[in-house]
Amino acid sequence: MSPIPTINLPTRRKNLVQRFFAWMTAHRGNWYENLTAVRKQALFGGLQGSILELGPGTGPNLRYYPPGVRWTGVEPNEFMHPYLLQSLRALNLPLDAFEITQGDPQGIRLPAQDASLDAVVCTLVLCSVPDPAGTLGEIIRVLKPGGKFIFIEHVAAAPATRLRRSQDFFQPFWTTIGDGCHPNRDTETSIQRAGFGRVEIDRFLVPAAGITEPHIAGLAEKRNL
Ligand SMILES: C[S@@+](CC[C@H](N)C(=O)[O-])C[C@H]1O[C@@H](n2cnc3c(N)ncnc32)[C@H](O)[C@@H]1O
């Protein structure tokens, strides 16, 4: 398979992109939340115990967690952290149960022991990680048997469609300005092949999201040994 084109930015410019991306995420308004809130309520409402959220961004998911969870947010973009703290405070969440970390600078290893977590949550993150199969393998490693991986992701459109051609065409530019985001990733297949037990996936469209309109939401459970 040919490598996916990406433009490597020098560190200073990468910092600027990350700062801008954090600001933009914080100011994107409620339209996306309004369109995904019902799915988030259904997927997050039953969670309990220890949860790791990968790439929580500015914290749009925090409001959906039930009381009593212990949460670790692995957010490599440090410019997101002040917004994340602001969201925690605005929601009056108990700060001793919520921890923010930048995680592994290589973005490979998750900061958790094997089989230690009840759930891992990702929304709009698998499009950006450097190695989706490796990240999914890490998610399986840190989940307890029966633990849940909860996700909402934008995904590649069906092959040979006009939308897919646009996703492929714009991908190098999109990945550069979107801090690593790939609009044409087949994340559904990656999740199906990752080695989970039960997998439930619901496909839906987010209107007005342009080339990121096609979405999936669902859960995947780590097999019981
Ligand atoms: C589009 S934002 C989504 C933020 C938030 N989850 C949401 O739903 O609004 C993508 C997030 O993934 C984070 N991210 C990118 N690569 C990552 C990695 N390797 N590990 C964890 N988070 C990552 C980015 O820093 C960013 O916060």
Side-chain angles (χ1 to χ4, degrees):
M1 210 164 75
S2 59
I4 293 171
T6 313
I7 300 163
N8 285 321
L9 294 176
T11 310
R12 196 161 156 271
R13 214 171 310 155
K14 182 150 176 67
N15 280 348
L16 271 180
V17 169
Q18 290 204 324
R19 191 188 285 271
F20 170 71
F21 193 61
W23 179 87
M24 205 183 64
T25 310
H27 294 88
R28 77 180 170 203
N30 281 334
W31 71 273
Y32 185 83
E33 281 317 302
N34 293 342
L35 291 169
T36 50
V38 172
R39 283 188 169 81
K40 289 189 178 182
Q41 278 155 5
L43 287 168
F44 294 32
L47 293 178
Q48 50 188 1
S50 303
I51 297 169
L52 183 148
E53 183 171 343
L54 203 55
T58 58
N61 297 332
L62 292 169
R63 73 190 79 166
Y64 301 102
Y65 291 112
V69 299
R70 289 179 310 285
W71 179 94
T72 302
V74 180
E75 179 44 71
N77 180 349
E78 63 180 317
F79 301 108
M80 297 282 189
H81 291 196
Y83 294 116
L84 202 42
L85 255 180
Q86 216 175 321
S87 301
L88 285 169
R89 294 209 173 98
L91 291 163
N92 242 337
L93 290 166
L95 293 184
D96 54 350
F98 285 77
E99 186 194 346
I100 303 169
T101 165
Q102 253 187 312
D104 172 8
Q106 309 298 323
I108 297 168
R109 195 146 173 99
L110 294 181
Q113 305 280 333
D114 294 1
S116 59
L117 299 172
D118 295 287
V120 175
V121 170
C122 262
T123 65
L124 308 179
V125 174
L126 290 176
C127 54
S128 300
V129 298
D131 171 14
T135 300
L136 288 162
E138 269 294 280
I139 290 171
I140 293 177
R141 177 184 70 77
V142 300
L143 281 173
K144 294 176 184 171
K148 291 184 172 57
F149 170 47
I150 304 284
F151 51 86
I152 298 183
E153 294 288 335
H154 66 77
V155 292
T161 56
R162 200 169 151 192
L163 181 55
R164 178 57 179 273
R165 281 194 290 276
S166 300
Q167 290 179 330
D168 292 341
F169 179 78
F170 286 111
Q171 180 268 316
F173 168 72
W174 194 269
T175 302
T176 306
I177 59 149
D179 195 22
C181 173
H182 295 72
N184 53 352
R185 260 201 188 154
D186 186 2
T187 300
E188 177 171 351
T189 302
S190 302
I191 293 172
Q192 295 283 15
R193 292 186 179 162
F196 288 100
R198 184 168 71 101
V199 178
E200 285 177 18
I201 297 186
D202 169 26
R203 294 185 200 127
F204 66 105
L205 294 175
V206 171
I211 60 171
T212 62
E213 234 178 30
H215 272 60
I216 56 170
L219 68 85
E221 273 178 13
K222 178 168 171 174
R223 287 176 208 280
N224 278 304
L225 298 176

